Amino acid sequence: MTTRPAARAFSSFSRQRSGAVCGRTLGVLFVTVALAFAGLAPPIALAAPQAASAPAVAVPSKKDVGKDSQSDPTTSGLGWAAVSTTIAHQLDDSATTLRQVFAVLNRKDENTGNSELDSLSSRIQKVQQNTQDAVTQIQSYDNITESFLKILGTSAAENEDPSVTAQRQRMQQNAQSVKSALIRARLYNLQAQQLNTAINARRTQLQHAALSEHTVSPLAPRFWNTLLTERAENHSSFHPGGVLADWLHLLIGCAITFVVIGLSSSLILRLLKRCGAHFRPATEDSVKEALSASIIAITLNGALEALIATLTWFIWAAATLPDGGGPIGAIIGETVPVCGFIIGAGLPVFGRRGVLAQGNPGERKALRGVDWILAISILLLDLLRAFQAQDAFGPTLQILLEIVFSIAIGLCAVDTFRRLGNQNDTRGFAPSALGVSSLLLTVTVISILLGYVAFAFTLNGWLLSLGTGVAIVALLGLCWRDVLERLFSEGSFFSLRLMQLGLPQPRLSQIGVILSGLGNILLLLLLFSIAQTDGSFSVTDITNRLWLLFVGNTIHGVKISLDTVVLVIVLAVAAYYIIRQTRSWIRDRFFPTTRLDIGSRTSILSIFTYCSWILVGLGILSIAGVSVQNLTWVVSALSVGIGFGLQSIVQNFVSGVILMAERPVRVGDMVEIAGTRGDIKRISIRATDIGLSDGSTMIVPNSQFITTSVKNATLSGATGSLTLTFQVPVATHPERAKSMLLEVAAHRDEVLATPAPKVRVSAITADSLTLTLSIALVSARDASSVQDAILFDVFRRFRSEGIAITTA
């Protein structure tokens, strides 16, 4: 333990008469004991990776490190000695990743595609997180070391104990090691941020270059001459070893997959109907209601078809294709689940026995085959992008395929909306959609004729993917909402089981609404990920972008980390319920066992609530990575705001804290402030609520209770007092008048017998005698009513005796 050298130091310095040296030694002893529990260890130098612009740091060998640790048994296995090696390895790995990413971004032999940039961005995000965690961890050791050195001093004191001197030297070396590690971590974090910015700039550059790429117009003869001259290059992809060497098996596999989807969909629909799935046929007046009633069965059929399509393709690829068909086979395997879902969800709607079978025949005829066309278009889009990435064809043939695809997509959209424009149910949106699709087709044709084929292909592919994504997300959202409504509806099997556990039906409905909102948020994130893929509908690409949103992604310079956002929301909601339940336990279970009055209980509950939320707020800021340094500008802005506009708010806040701490007024007290009298109902951090006699509530800022005079009638206790002054003729016998007043007071139940009422003569004039009646009341709140009753009784009693009496 480190307390032994510290004890020797304290024993040595206790014999010195120098007050300064003794004070310093006491500080050393205190911090030494604290560090014995914190586990601060002697220095270990860290190895710096050979990254660009990384500082050079002397690195002792592992043998020296272990020897150094063994030389001081007080710190072996604890503190910096235990974590320094782990942090050094983390920083070395980060440096290696940074060098690799830097090399990829600066290579000149080949281009970097969007998929590779996404992979690099994911690696950089991980480096940023690791280095930020390392900075936070090392900073704590740096703070402890600096505090220790401040107490030890920079130089040895006169007659200083040798153990203290050795401790200072070890701590100085330790501080040097900690600071070098901190510099490395901050440097790598800064380099990761710079590389992330470079990756985003490269991605934007690629997008702009692709959109602005100009090729030979198909109207020019040179375009067709080039197409003929590159026939050998196009045919090489079909030869053994080429990208499309297994093109026939790939084509047959796609055909078999789509045939299996079509055949199995009818069987699955029949099976779902036998299992109780509800398909409501539509009529001319109830198309929307029929779709809403069948939404779960439609989505379930799409999900099953996606699974069947995936299994069919992978069985075929494993049986007939070497290496699964290569990169083209992998792209097909990632796309067929989407195609299966589109066809599986579209057949129950547009099929011969679908929801629209008994509806408007013209509308069904206009939409017939849309699901198949959409699924095949998505597959062709991903294949064309794969051909482009793998250089499967020559540039001219690739451009020709993109031209055909773009024009075909535009023509299909125009034809579909033209047919829908003739139907009564779709006349509201079909003409507008027809106009937009016609404009898109015009822009596509003009762009192709001008040689901007990449722009036309990217535009049509992105709109196709985005439209498909919107349809899928909308279907999943409706299905999720319908499922929750059925689960949490009153009388359902699930609701009855939850109600047996003590959850009421309103709370179940609230849970259903919250889950529905969370599901919609996740679906919107999925749609955002689809929009970020620039037209690709690859499941892997979409999943990677969705993952980047959760683990932290920088989009246009803005860092987004949805896992942190979700954690913060969950923490806030959990803290709300925990604090509320704790307040209820303190109020209903703990306070009844104490003798605290209502004012003390209210103050304790208020202070507990505010302190709890302050701790929760600090925890949320810590999780979000916001430190005090990040809030410097907020504090500066608040200081200016307090000086100008927030002075009164801060004054009331501080006054509220004083009221809760000193409790000059409490909940339940009857007070009089600024001529207004009432009972205190609530004391908050900003204002106090006072209940008036007419039933209204007056809200008074807390600062008025501190800066002005306040009369508290119940501060000394619940009882009150009342003093009344009367004048009787001077001829009246004083003892007689005194006994009559005491008799009147004794007949009132609100008047306390102890202390007994008192009557004294306060003044004598030539015409009258002044008597003062002082009584104690059961409650100060009864003073007004008791005063009225006593005055009436005194008037009636003295009048019966023929004595004239007035109030002074």
Side-chain angles (χ1 to χ4, degrees):
M1 295 294 292
T2 56
T3 53
R4 291 185 177 179
R8 292 197 302 269
F10 178 71
S11 176
S12 173
F13 279 87
S14 63
R15 294 190 296 268
Q16 302 294 332
R17 295 183 178 181
S18 175
V21 176
C22 290
R24 178 178 296 180
T25 307
L26 288 174
V28 171
L29 177 62
F30 174 76
V31 178
T32 303
V33 175
L35 293 178
F37 292 97
L40 190 62
I44 296 180
L46 298 179
Q50 299 176 357
S53 67
V57 182
V59 185
S61 64
K62 294 182 179 179
K63 183 178 179 181
D64 296 334
V65 171
K67 186 176 180 181
D68 185 25
S69 300
Q70 293 174 0
S71 64
D72 190 354
T74 62
T75 57
S76 59
L78 297 175
W80 180 247
V83 302
S84 59
T85 305
T86 303
I87 292 178
H89 287 321
Q90 291 179 355
L91 296 179
D92 291 341
D93 295 339
S94 299
T96 303
T97 304
L98 292 174
R99 288 196 300 269
Q100 294 174 353
V101 174
F102 182 80
V104 171
L105 290 177
N106 289 273
R107 65 187 180 187
K108 299 181 179 180
D109 54 340
E110 56 180 308
N111 295 326
T112 305
N114 286 323
S115 59
E116 190 171 7
L117 289 177
D118 292 338
S119 177
L120 296 178
S121 179
S122 177
R123 297 174 65 184
I124 288 297
Q125 295 290 341
K126 186 176 180 181
V127 170
Q128 282 185 289
Q129 185 64 39
N130 291 339
T131 53
Q132 186 61 44
D133 294 341
V135 168
T136 304
Q137 190 175 7
I138 299 172
Q139 187 68 53
S140 61
Y141 288 98
D142 186 50
N143 294 335
I144 295 176
T145 306
E146 289 183 355
S147 301
F148 194 88
L149 289 176
K150 286 181 181 179
I151 297 177
L152 288 176
T154 58
S155 59
E158 184 179 359
N159 298 327
E160 185 177 67
D161 190 271
S163 63
V164 178
T165 304
Q167 186 97 4
R168 180 186 298 105
Q169 293 176 354
R170 289 197 302 269
M171 292 307 302
Q172 288 175 346
Q173 296 174 0
N174 201 19
Q176 203 172 24
S177 175
V178 173
K179 288 186 180 298
S180 67
L182 185 61
I183 292 174
R184 285 185 60 198
R186 288 176 175 173
L187 175 63
Y188 296 158
N189 186 267
L190 179 61
Q191 290 178 344
Q193 294 178 5
Q194 294 174 348
L195 287 177
N196 198 16
T197 303
I199 290 173
N200 292 329
R202 182 69 62 85
R203 184 183 288 112
T204 304
Q205 183 181 1
L206 288 177
Q207 294 175 354
H208 292 170
L211 294 177
S212 60
E213 181 182 1
H214 184 268
T215 60
V216 180
S217 173
L219 296 178
R222 187 159 61 95
F223 177 85
W224 303 101
N225 292 332
T226 306
L227 179 63
L228 296 176
T229 56
E230 63 183 21
R231 286 183 298 177
E233 182 179 356
N234 296 330
H235 291 165
S236 64
S237 299
F238 297 93
H239 295 165
V243 179
L244 295 175
D246 299 319
W247 66 272
L248 184 59
H249 294 86
L250 292 173
L251 182 61
I252 294 175
C254 291
I256 291 176
T257 302
F258 279 92
V259 169
V260 170
I261 292 174
L263 295 177
S264 61
S265 183
S266 301
L267 298 177
I268 292 177
L269 288 177
R270 294 179 182 178
L271 180 62
L272 290 176
K273 290 181 179 179
R274 290 184 178 182
C275 293
H278 181 63
F279 285 93
R280 178 180 176 181
T283 62
E284 294 186 1
D285 299 329
S286 62
V287 176
K288 294 182 179 180
E289 291 78 2
L291 289 174
S292 177
S294 310
I295 198 69
I296 295 179
I298 293 172
T299 307
L300 183 58
N301 187 71
L304 293 176
E305 289 301 328
L307 179 61
I308 291 175
T310 304
L311 293 176
T312 303
W313 170 256
F314 279 105
I315 291 173
W316 172 263
T320 62
L321 297 174
D323 299 330
I328 304 301
I331 292 296
I332 296 176
E334 294 176 1
T335 310
V336 290
V338 180
C339 299
F341 184 86
I342 294 173
I343 297 174
L347 189 61
V349 180
F350 309 117
R352 294 181 178 180
R353 299 181 180 179
V355 175
L356 300 181
Q358 299 181 9
N360 191 336
E363 183 177 345
R364 178 181 173 274
K365 183 178 180 181
L367 295 174
R368 185 173 55 187
V370 170
D371 47 350
W372 287 86
I373 294 175
L374 190 60
I376 295 174
S377 300
I378 291 293
L379 179 60
L380 292 177
L381 174 63
D382 286 346
L383 286 176
L384 288 177
R385 290 189 174 276
F387 293 159
Q388 184 181 16
Q390 299 296 327
D391 293 329
F393 303 115
T396 309
L397 181 58
Q398 179 71 32
I399 291 174
L400 181 61
L401 294 176
E402 293 176 359
I403 291 174
V404 174
F405 178 82
S406 301
I407 294 178
I409 291 297
L411 290 176
C412 289
V414 170
D415 182 63
T416 300
F417 290 118
R418 179 186 59 81
R419 287 182 294 174
L420 287 176
N422 299 325
Q423 308 303 318
N424 294 328
D425 295 338
T426 57
R427 284 182 179 178
F429 72 93
S432 301
L434 178 61
V436 173
S437 60
S438 300
L439 178 61
L440 175 62
L441 179 61
T442 304
V443 171
T444 300
V445 173
I446 293 175
S447 300
I448 291 173
L449 295 179
L450 293 178
Y452 294 98
V453 180
F455 171 76
F457 177 72
T458 303
L459 178 62
N460 284 272
W462 185 77
L463 290 177
L464 175 64
S465 297
L466 184 61
T468 306
V470 170
I472 293 176
V473 167
L475 179 62
L476 294 177
L478 293 174
C479 178
W480 176 245
R481 186 184 65 180
D482 199 1
V483 168
L484 292 177
E485 289 179 354
R486 294 175 184 271
L487 286 178
F488 294 99
S489 62
E490 187 175 359
S492 66
F493 176 82
F494 190 70
S495 295
L496 292 177
R497 295 300 179 271
L498 291 180
M499 292 177 67
Q500 292 177 357
L501 298 177
L503 290 175
Q505 183 60 40
R507 183 57 54 85
L508 293 178
S509 301
Q510 183 182 14
I511 294 174
V513 172
I514 294 175
L515 292 178
S516 178
L518 293 177
N520 292 334
I521 292 175
L522 293 177
L523 291 175
L524 289 177
L525 295 178
L526 175 62
L527 181 61
F528 182 74
S529 302
I530 294 174
Q532 285 285 312
T533 57
D534 300 328
S536 174
F537 221 99
S538 171
V539 175
T540 303
D541 195 6
I542 296 174
T543 304
N544 290 336
R545 292 187 178 273
L546 187 62
W547 174 250
L548 284 177
L549 287 177
F550 279 93
V551 301
N553 188 18
T554 302
I555 302 175
H556 299 293
V558 179
K559 182 117 177 12
I560 299 177
S561 181
L562 292 179
D563 59 339
T564 303
V565 175
V566 173
L567 181 60
V568 166
I569 294 175
V570 171
L571 178 61
V573 174
Y576 168 76
Y577 284 102
I578 291 174
I579 293 174
R580 191 179 68 173
Q581 293 298 327
T582 306
R583 280 175 53 92
S584 300
W585 181 85
I586 294 175
R587 183 183 62 249
D588 301 334
R589 300 290 300 277
F590 177 72
F591 280 158
T593 63
T594 65
R595 297 181 180 180
L596 297 174
D597 54 70
I598 186 173
S600 301
R601 298 180 180 184
T602 304
S603 298
I604 292 174
L605 286 177
S606 300
I607 294 174
F608 167 77
T609 303
Y610 292 127
C611 291
S612 300
W613 279 114
I614 289 174
L615 293 177
V616 172
L618 294 176
I620 290 175
L621 292 178
S622 177
I623 293 174
V626 180
S627 61
V628 178
Q629 297 177 353
N630 301 126
L631 297 177
T632 303
W633 65 273
V634 178
V635 175
S636 301
L638 284 178
S639 62
V640 176
I642 290 171
F644 289 97
L646 301 179
Q647 183 177 3
S648 60
I649 296 177
V650 175
Q651 184 181 11
N652 291 326
F653 177 83
V654 176
S655 301
V657 175
I658 295 174
L659 290 179
M660 292 181 183
E662 295 186 355
R663 299 197 302 134
V665 293
R666 298 163 298 183
V667 175
D669 287 352
M670 186 175 68
V671 298
E672 183 176 349
I673 180 172
T676 303
R677 188 183 184 93
D679 297 329
I680 293 181
K681 300 170 59 178
R682 186 176 70 95
I683 300 177
S684 65
I685 202 66
R686 188 196 65 84
T688 299
D689 298 345
I690 298 179
L692 304 182
S693 58
D694 58 357
S696 61
T697 301
M698 185 175 70
I699 301 175
V700 182
N702 288 331
S703 58
Q704 293 192 19
F705 287 91
I706 305 298
T707 58
T708 61
S709 299
V710 181
K711 180 180 179 181
N712 192 338
T714 56
L715 180 61
S716 301
T719 61
S721 61
L722 181 65
T723 301
L724 300 175
T725 303
F726 302 95
Q727 288 183 348
V728 295
V730 71
T732 306
H733 194 282
E735 292 297 334
R736 177 60 178 168
K738 178 179 178 180
S739 63
M740 293 173 63
L741 290 176
L742 293 176
E743 181 183 351
V744 170
H747 283 82
R748 303 302 308 175
D749 296 335
E750 299 88 349
V751 178
L752 293 175
T754 304
K758 297 180 180 179
V759 178
R760 61 187 181 86
V761 179
S762 58
I764 300 176
T765 63
D767 300 328
S768 63
L769 183 68
T770 303
L771 302 176
T772 300
L773 173 64
S774 299
I775 57 177
L777 303 178
V778 176
S779 174
R781 294 176 179 81
D782 299 334
S784 299
S785 59
V786 172
Q787 179 179 347
D788 294 341
I790 289 179
L791 289 177
F792 181 77
D793 291 343
V794 168
F795 171 76
R796 184 175 54 184
R797 181 73 177 84
F798 276 74
R799 186 177 181 180
S800 63
E801 296 292 337
I803 301 174
I805 187 171
T806 59
T807 57

